[in-house]
Amino acid sequence: MIIREATKDDIMSVTKVSTASFQQEALSLQLSERDLNVEPPGYDLEAMTQYMIEELTCYVIEQDKHIVGAIVLTLTGDDYARIDRVFVHPDRQGQGIGKALIQYVEAQSPHVRIWELETSTHQTRNIRFYKQLGFQVVYESEDEVCFVKRTKAKPSTHCFEEQSCEGWQAYGVNASFLAVTNSNVSSLDASNCNFSQSRFRNINFRNSTFSDLNLSGSQFNFVTMRENARTIQMHYSNLSGATFNQCDLTNVTLTGCDVEGMTINGVPIDTLISTKRGET
């Protein structure tokens, strides 16, 4: 077996393995409703695989020159790592491949103090598997089981862990290169802040307000901006030159906006409007 970091050339192969693995798991469990731990978002999309390879940390494992499994990590700073996904092709399961992937990434990141992951309560085989690898249950509900493994690595400086910052106020703070993960920052009020080169992953930003911010050069990947009846609102914002690719813009409302030069699937908006009105 060969374990290596994934590249763009692996996108199609990794997607095929991911699709086969998660679909087989869903088929075997026969759940009445979709469980996002059993069928994670975008598990069968090459766009999601490309994002994970380019933006996260992704390793693949090969047998006989064929990719048979992969593991995806979110590394935050020097201390924390989240195992987002680990999957093995159904034909190669039960051969120690998943175990080899997890042990490999742990060896590759000896500085990580806390490893975390989650699985569905329905995936009893996964629960036993993670416990055998030294992960401990820290939270359990009707839907999911959350695991943590703590190592003996020394903590880095400026590390805030499992602390409540509720009601804190910050003024004149340089938050560039800030790394935040697995945290609740709902109802955040951010104004005139420098978050350059920072990364936010797996974060709850519900009901937050961002004002007077410069987000030029930023990327939003696989971000949910609508939940139940709550939607995102943008007022007096400069989005000129922005790109929206494969985004769900159902029922989006534009009011009083400058759409000069805007195109939809390569067609200028002025042409679309004229065609709709029957103008020549």
Side-chain angles (χ1 to χ4, degrees), residues 93-114:
Q93 292 178 5
Q95 301 178 14
I97 294 175
K99 179 179 179 180
L101 283 167
I102 291 178
Q103 291 179 336
Y104 179 84
V105 297
E106 288 178 338
Q108 289 294 108
S109 303
H111 52 81
V112 172
R113 292 189 305 111
I114 297 179

Side-chain angles (χ1 to χ4, degrees), residues 7 44 55 65 100 109 178 183 197 203 214-215 247 266:
T7 69
D44 56 349
E55 301 297 331
K65 298 183 179 181
S109 303
L178 177 68
S183 299
Q197 304 300 319
I203 301 296
N214 183 353
L215 296 177
C247 297

Side-chain angles (χ1 to χ4, degrees), residues 208-247:
S208 293
T209 301
F210 299 90
S211 307
D212 194 18
L213 300 180
N214 183 353
L215 296 177
S216 59
S218 298
Q219 292 187 36
F220 298 87
N221 300 303
F222 299 97
V223 175
T224 297
M225 296 189 178
R226 177 185 176 89
E227 184 181 56
N228 299 326
R230 294 179 297 184
T231 60
I232 186 174
Q233 297 185 37
M234 304 190 72
H235 304 282
Y236 305 102
S237 299
N238 183 357
L239 300 178
S240 60
T243 299
F244 298 87
N245 180 38
Q246 298 187 47
C247 297

Side-chain angles (χ1 to χ4, degrees), residues 10 18 77 101 113 128 136 143 164 175 180 186 208 226 258 266:
D10 300 320
S18 173
L101 283 167
R113 292 189 305 111
R128 291 194 301 269
Q136 297 181 334
D143 302 316
S164 174
V180 182
S186 60
S208 293
R226 177 185 176 89
D258 183 355

Side-chain angles (χ1 to χ4, degrees), residues 61-77:
I61 188 166
E62 293 179 328
Q63 283 185 338
D64 302 324
K65 298 183 179 181
H66 294 286
I67 293 176
V68 297
I71 188 169
V72 182
L73 313 174
T74 296
L75 297 172
T76 303

Side-chain angles (χ1 to χ4, degrees), residues 128-223:
R128 291 194 301 269
F129 172 69
Y130 294 131
K131 287 181 177 180
Q132 291 171 357
L133 289 177
F135 287 84
Q136 297 181 334
V137 177
V138 292
Y139 174 78
E140 186 171 359
S141 68
E142 295 181 358
D143 302 316
E144 65 181 4
V145 181
C146 300
F147 291 88
V148 161
K149 178 191 283 190
R150 297 178 183 271
T151 73
K152 295 182 180 180
K154 295 183 180 180
S156 60
T157 58
H158 309 300
C159 175
F160 294 91
E161 178 184 320
E162 296 179 355
Q163 297 186 27
S164 174
C165 301
E166 185 176 357
W168 282 20
Q169 299 181 44
Y171 174 79
V173 174
N174 179 6
S176 59
F177 293 93
L178 177 68
V180 182
T181 186
N182 199 34
S183 299
N184 177 15
V185 289
S186 60
S187 301
L188 172 71
D189 187 355
S191 177
N192 194 28
C193 297
N194 176 14
F195 286 128
S196 61
Q197 304 300 319
S198 296
R199 292 191 173 188
F200 301 90
R201 291 171 174 161
N202 194 30
I203 301 296
N204 175 10
F205 274 124
R206 292 184 182 92
N207 301 321
S208 293
T209 301
F210 299 90
S211 307
D212 194 18
L213 300 180
N214 183 353
L215 296 177
S216 59
S218 298
Q219 292 187 36
F220 298 87
N221 300 303
F222 299 97
V223 175

